[in-house]
Structure formats: C-alpha cells, structure tokens
Amino acid sequence: MTDQREPGLRQRKQAATALTIERSAVGLVQEHGFQAVTVDMICAASGVSQRTFFNYFKTKDQAILGAGPGRLDERRVREFLASDSPDLLAGILDLLATLAPVGTEDRALAADRMGIISRTPALMQKEIERLSDVYEELKEVLYLRLRRSAPANEPPEETRAQSALIAHLIPGILRFTLEQQNSSNPGHPHAGTEQLLAGALQKLLPAAPAGETAAT
C-alpha cells in the first residue's frame, strides 16, 4: 500500500517544485526584463539549488515557457469529427479548451507568460516551434471534418489549405482566451469568444452587393 502511494506523492512534489520555478521565472522577467534575469536569480527566488533547477529545466528560456502545450483530447476529437453541427467555430473552440490552463492561478500564470512571449522574439520563435505538433494535429482533424462536408467540386488541396489557414489562428485564439481570465464568466473561458471571433472574421469579408440575396 505504501509503495503505491509514494510515486503519487513524489510526482505531486515534483510538479509543485516545477510550478514554483516557473512562477519565479515569469515573475522575475516581469520585474526585471528577460535579458536581466539569470538562472541564479530564479534559483534564489524559488529556494532551490542550481542542480535542482537543471533537473527540471535545461535553460532559463524553458523555465519561462513552462511545460509544452497539451494535446487535443481524443474524446473531443471523436465528437468533433462525428458532429453534424453547422457551428464549426464552437466545435473548434471546444477542441482548444484542453490546451488552456483550467485553474485560476494557472490561467493567471499562463496569461503573464503569454505577455512575455509576445514581447520577446526569441521566446516567440521557440513557442511557435513547440506548437507545431498541435498545429499539425489540428490541421489534420480540421481537414477530415471539412472534407466530409466539402462541395463535390472542391479539390482536396483547397480543403487542406483551408484547414491550414484555420489552424494558424490557434495561437491568437489561445492568447485572447488567456487574457480574458478575469472576465465576468471565468467558469466558461470561451464565453463570448465565439461571437467576437465570428464578428471579427465577418468584417474581413466583402459586403454583398446591394440587392443581392444569400443563396438558398
């Protein structure tokens, strides 16, 4: 019984230590700037040795970026692919829900981290590289869903291009969601996002000529 409990306790302690280091790294960068922060400063603020730091993170950059992005939830992917709902945007946002932190404190840390990344080109490039696997996964999921309802005369290459374009919106959607952590409905992080995004995208489309009606 004891042997079964110990790994769980050890893992919780390791997760807590990693989170402490990440929060210290992000907090120091917010206070002093990215270039000024050193591993020694992060260790001092976290109350850990350099040896402990390097057991968790290879570099200062990695501590600031934190754990890599999550993966799409398999159950949600299956539901998305099987759905016949015309509200594709709501389905996409539901898929992305598993990539954003759930806890209020974690969401605050993620929002601060995203602010640092957006102001630091080197970190932005690394974050884009880390998102590449999620991007490729979502691009393929979107292709399968879009291809199922695509017009008979639409070439597969065009559907793939559409899927890739939509997938490229992920970083912006996630960042916006994190920045809304103090919204009036924190229990539903995507509340309002669907309507805002749909309205913003609609503004990019040319207005229909006067007198023209939508096709039925």
Side-chain angles (χ1 to χ4, degrees):
M1 182 70 70
T2 302
D3 291 341
Q4 293 177 347
R5 290 178 178 177
E6 286 181 352
L9 177 61
R10 183 166 59 250
Q11 290 171 359
R12 289 195 295 274
K13 287 183 176 180
Q14 290 173 342
T17 300
L19 184 58
T20 296
I21 295 172
E22 290 177 28
R23 285 176 175 164
S24 297
V26 169
L28 287 169
V29 172
Q30 285 187 306
E31 182 178 356
H32 302 287
F34 174 71
Q35 296 296 339
V37 174
T38 65
V39 169
D40 283 339
M41 292 171 64
I42 298 172
C43 290
S46 306
V48 302
S49 65
Q50 276 204 9
R51 180 177 179 179
T52 297
F53 176 91
F54 288 115
N55 281 338
Y56 288 89
F57 303 101
K58 295 180 179 179
T59 64
K60 174 186 78 173
D61 293 7
Q62 194 177 84
I64 297 168
L65 292 172
R71 303 303 298 271
L72 298 179
D73 181 75
E74 292 185 9
R75 178 185 60 81
R76 291 174 187 252
V77 169
R78 289 195 297 269
E79 292 175 352
F80 178 77
L81 291 175
S83 175
D84 290 320
S85 171
D87 195 348
L88 184 65
L89 182 55
I92 293 173
L93 292 176
D94 187 61
L95 282 178
L96 298 182
T98 55
L99 300 181
V102 177
T104 302
E105 293 185 359
D106 286 350
R107 294 181 65 79
L109 173 63
D112 291 341
R113 175 180 286 133
M114 287 299 295
I116 292 171
I117 292 172
S118 67
R119 299 190 300 270
T120 313
L123 292 179
M124 176 65 77
Q125 181 58 40
K126 290 182 179 180
E127 186 66 2
I128 291 174
E129 292 172 359
R130 298 200 315 167
L131 281 169
S132 61
D133 288 343
V134 177
Y135 165 77
E136 292 297 333
E137 184 180 11
L138 181 61
K139 185 172 68 172
E140 186 61 26
V141 170
L142 286 170
Y143 172 75
L144 294 174
R145 171 71 180 269
L146 293 177
R147 193 63 198 160
R148 199 182 69 192
S149 58
N153 62 345
E154 180 176 290
E157 294 77 13
E158 182 175 339
T159 311
R160 285 202 177 277
Q162 293 171 355
S163 303
L165 179 58
I166 295 172
H168 271 301
L169 297 174
I170 294 174
I173 295 173
L174 289 178
R175 179 180 177 185
F176 177 84
T177 300
L178 292 171
E179 290 174 346
Q180 301 307 303
Q181 60 183 353
N182 295 320
S183 66
S184 59
N185 191 4
H188 187 352
H190 291 143
T193 303
E194 179 185 349
Q195 293 79 5
L196 285 170
L197 183 57
L201 293 177
Q202 188 64 39
K203 287 182 171 61
L204 296 176
L205 302 177
E212 181 176 314
T213 57
T216 56

